[in-house]
């Protein structure tokens, strides 16, 4: 009836053929789409060719300002620490030069005399001994309380007890000191007498008295002071344990304690170490409470129940008011030693936590 239209099916072959004017090479549609995108900017203006570029960031944007602010804050902390160290060294050097005894081994403290004699050995020993004993008492109790509040106690009871423990951390040190000196000393004295009667053959519980204002009393008060710090931090760490880990342990047939031992405690170990180290830092630097509860004597002794004991911070609090220029320099020198001890403790804690984190990540 007539010629077959160019865009219709070819009658002779039975197939379809698109007219030559409408044929597209392979991949042409993709190239056209790419060209249409590359020749348009976000505002709709065409480009002369080439790929589209993101808007250039501002030279002094908010992100760069915030980065500079955080860098300045971190640098300021280091500058303050360095300034404290320089101040302590500058004030301590004249007194150390005037000291007529060995500063590291002499057990007396007489810097106000014509011939100054003083040493840090007794004070450093008492500081480490009282802090270590306080942690030995506080850490197991704090971890037990934290586990109970996070995994055993009902939610309302756990919240209420946690609030009370946090309030305990807000009690001033002088209140703890007064309570320990006037109230807590009586049961500690009775307990010391009992220990001396039945375990006096041990050097730490020996002696003929008097008992009361001793390393034991100071360490017990110190343990009560660091208890809320370790408890609060450990509780928060335990609450961050993934629920899947706990449910997996229980699904395998573990008891509640086995679940805590295999899932909760390993996960929270870096946080526990950090909490203990923070408590140790608080114990090392405690001043007024120990000044009120220790017997303030000079001499290295492992006896825990007889009157005696002294620390660097307590000695500074007791002797600073009557010190002359050399005496103040000697006290500042002892403060420099305490500053070094706390710095070493914090650096050690960071190293332990970092290594533990690397081990955990590699095991995962």
């Amino acid at each position: 009836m007539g010629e077959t239209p160019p865009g219709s099916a070819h009658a002779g072959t039975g197939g379809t053929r698109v007219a030559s004017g409408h044929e597209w090479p392979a991949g042409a549609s993709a190239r056209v789409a790419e060209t249409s995108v590359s020749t348009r900017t976000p505002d709709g203006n065409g480009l002369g060719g080439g790929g589209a570029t993101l808007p250039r960031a501002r030279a002094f944007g908010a992100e760069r300002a915030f980065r500079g602010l955080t860098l300045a804050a971190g640098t300021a902390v280091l500058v303050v620490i360095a300034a404290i160290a320089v101040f302590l060294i500058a004030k301590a050097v004249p007194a150390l030069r005037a000291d007529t005894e060995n500063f590291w081994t002499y057990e007396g403290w007489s810097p106000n005399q014509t011939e100054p004699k003083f040493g840090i050995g007794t004070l450093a020993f008492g500081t480490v001994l009282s802090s270590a004993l306080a942690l030995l008492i506080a850490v197991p109790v704090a971890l037990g309380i934290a586990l109970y509040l996070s995994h055993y106690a009902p939610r309302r009871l756990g919240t209420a007890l946690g609030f009370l423990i946090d309030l305990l951390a807000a009690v001033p040190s002088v209140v703890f000191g007064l309570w320990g000196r006037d109230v807590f000393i009586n049961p500690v004295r009775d307990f010391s007498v009992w220990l001396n009667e039945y375990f006096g053959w041990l050097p730490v519980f020996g002696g003929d008295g008097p008992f009361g204002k001793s390393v034991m009393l100071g360490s017990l008060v110190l343990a009560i002071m660091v208890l809320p710090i370790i408890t609060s931090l450990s509780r928060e760490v335990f609450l961050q344990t993934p629920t899947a880990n706990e449910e997996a342990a229980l699904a395998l047939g573990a008891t509640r304690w086995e679940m805590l031992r295999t899932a909760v405690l390993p996960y929270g170990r870096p946080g526990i170490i950090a909490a203990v180290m923070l408590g140790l830092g608080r114990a090392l630097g405690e001043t007024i409470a120990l000044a009120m509860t220790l017997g303030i004597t000079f001499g290295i002794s492992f006896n825990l129940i007889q009157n005696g004991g002294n620390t660097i911070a307590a000695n500074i609090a007791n002797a600073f008011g009557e010190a002359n220029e050399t005496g103040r320099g000697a006290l500042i020198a002892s403060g420099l030693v305490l500053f070094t001890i706390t710095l070493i403790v914090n650096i050690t804690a960071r190293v332990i936590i970092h290594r533990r984190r690397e081990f955990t990540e590699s095991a995962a």
Side-chain angles (χ1 to χ4, degrees), residues 186-196 216 220 305:
N186 297 320
V188 171
R189 182 186 294 116
D190 296 338
F191 183 59
S192 299
V193 172
W194 182 83
L195 288 174
N196 180 259
M216 177 175 289
L220 287 172
I305 60 176

Side-chain angles (χ1 to χ4, degrees), residues 99-115:
D99 189 9
T100 58
E101 296 289 344
N102 191 309
F103 177 71
W104 301 107
T105 59
Y106 185 65
E107 297 184 10
W109 191 268
S110 302
N112 298 323
Q113 297 180 355
T114 305
E115 295 183 358

Side-chain angles (χ1 to χ4, degrees), residues 276-300:
V276 172
M277 289 303 173
L278 285 177
L280 178 58
R282 171 70 186 275
L284 290 172
E286 182 51 45
T287 304
I288 193 65
L290 292 180
M292 292 182 176
T293 55
L294 293 178
I296 310 301
T297 59
F298 291 91
I300 297 178

Side-chain angles (χ1 to χ4, degrees), residues 321-336:
E322 300 177 355
N324 56 19
E325 184 176 356
T326 304
R328 288 191 294 270
L331 294 174
I332 292 175
S334 65
L336 177 61

Side-chain angles (χ1 to χ4, degrees), residues 53-140:
T53 58
L54 294 175
R56 181 176 299 178
R58 296 181 180 179
F60 298 97
E63 183 177 355
R64 180 168 297 185
F66 181 74
R67 182 186 303 175
L69 181 62
T70 54
L71 177 61
T75 306
V77 173
L78 298 178
V79 170
V80 169
I81 294 176
I84 293 174
V86 171
F87 166 78
L88 294 175
I89 294 173
K91 295 294 184 179
V93 167
L96 293 175
R97 290 178 177 175
D99 189 9
T100 58
E101 296 289 344
N102 191 309
F103 177 71
W104 301 107
T105 59
Y106 185 65
E107 297 184 10
W109 191 268
S110 302
N112 298 323
Q113 297 180 355
T114 305
E115 295 183 358
K117 299 178 181 180
F118 57 91
I120 197 64
T122 299
L123 300 176
F125 174 80
T127 300
V128 175
L129 178 62
S130 59
S131 301
L133 186 58
L135 287 184
L136 186 63
I137 298 170
V139 170

